[in-house]
Amino acid sequence: MERLDKIISNLGYGSRKDVKSFAKKGLIEVDGIIVKDNGMIVDPAKVSIKINGEEILYRKYIYMMMNKPDGVISATQDNRDQTVIDLLEVDHQAFEPFPVGRLDKDTVGLLLLTNDGELNHRLIAPKWHVDKVYYAKIDKKVDEKDIVTFKNGVTLDDGYKCLEANLEILSSSDDGAEIRLTIQEGKFHQVKRMFEAIGKQVVYLKREEFGGLLLDPELAEGEYRELTDDELSVLKSY
Ligand code: URA
């Protein structure tokens, strides 16, 4: 059950003030009856709401993928820095989405945003072992020995032994390396700390995949879009 003005404005049909004025003008109908009280409490899943004769499509949840840019933090609010939520259009912010897990301020790439707490929980709970694929540039050579170390579970600075991780070397020389790493955990600074544990530094980090979902190559850094139905079912069935 929710206030009519909140439901309507969350769906992107105007601010709450706009909704108040629509109601005053007699433009809002609930189950065929004109409603002038913009604060009326209804169950949006059970009633038909029309604005100016047009039925609104109710939906509770929103699911988006963003190509997170460098310098922006994966949080809903911050006093100093710009957040990923600040990059969303007001109509999307109205759903009160939050990032699914976190990417560091300087990490770019695939970040999911939703207001579906249950899906969020399933995707970030350690027991579900959701695959995350990262592309990274490393300051030093990466070799077969590192592949084995990561496969056996590298131990981080705090003594935590990581789960098996799949390291793929894309190129490697004395000047540095390009790699792809698949992990199933999401510890704080995990990829950076895994490389630090073998004496190397990550100098660029991009997430390319999350839970079977691929970053849309059409999205420039800072851009986002809603997931397609197919993408959402991939995530939900993961
Ligand atoms: N690992 C990191 O070190 N940083 C990220 O942002 C994600 C994974």
Side-chain angles (χ1 to χ4, degrees), residues 102-228:
R102 283 172 182 249
L103 290 178
D104 296 337
K105 187 173 169 184
D106 61 355
T107 301
V108 300
L110 179 57
L111 184 68
L112 290 175
L113 296 146
T114 185
N115 56 353
D116 181 342
E118 201 178 309
L119 184 69
N120 173 57
H121 180 72
R122 274 207 285 140
L123 292 171
I124 62 174
K127 68 171 176 176
W128 294 105
H129 294 180
V130 170
D131 274 346
K132 290 139 199 141
V133 182
Y134 294 89
Y135 162 86
K137 291 184 182 160
I138 310 298
D139 68 337
K140 298 193 182 78
K141 197 173 200 161
V142 174
D143 57 27
E144 295 295 318
K145 211 163 75 262
D146 300 325
I147 294 180
V148 175
T149 305
F150 279 11
K151 189 159 184 57
N152 291 335
V154 65
T155 303
L156 302 182
D157 47 5
D158 59 1
Y160 175 78
K161 187 168 186 279
C162 296
L163 293 176
E164 172 178 342
N166 185 53
L167 175 61
E168 188 189 340
I169 300 170
L170 304 174
S171 70
S172 185
S173 72
D174 288 337
D175 299 331
E178 287 179 70
I179 62 95
R180 186 166 283 122
L181 181 67
T182 306
I183 59 174
Q184 297 184 325
E185 302 165 285
K187 302 258 172 255
F188 187 58
H189 297 327
Q190 178 148 354
V191 177
K192 292 173 185 165
R193 286 164 67 209
M194 286 171 75
F195 278 95
E196 274 159 24
I198 56 167
K200 299 168 195 191
Q201 296 289 325
V202 170
V203 292
Y204 173 86
L205 187 59
K206 177 179 186 175
R207 184 155 66 192
E208 297 181 324
E209 239 180 280
F210 184 98
L213 199 73
L214 304 182
L215 176 64
D216 182 343
E218 300 284 312
L219 289 177
E221 281 181 26
E223 290 183 347
Y224 71 98
R225 65 161 171 80
E226 288 192 47
L227 296 189
T228 62

Side-chain angles (χ1 to χ4, degrees), residues 1 8 47 57 60 67 70 93 100 108 129 158 161 169 209 213 217 235-236:
M1 302 291 276
I8 296 174
V47 296
L57 201 59
K60 190 168 174 190
N67 185 354
D70 183 15
Q93 285 179 356
V100 176
V108 300
H129 294 180
D158 59 1
K161 187 168 186 279
I169 300 170
E209 239 180 280
L213 199 73
L235 261 192
K236 286 193 166 173

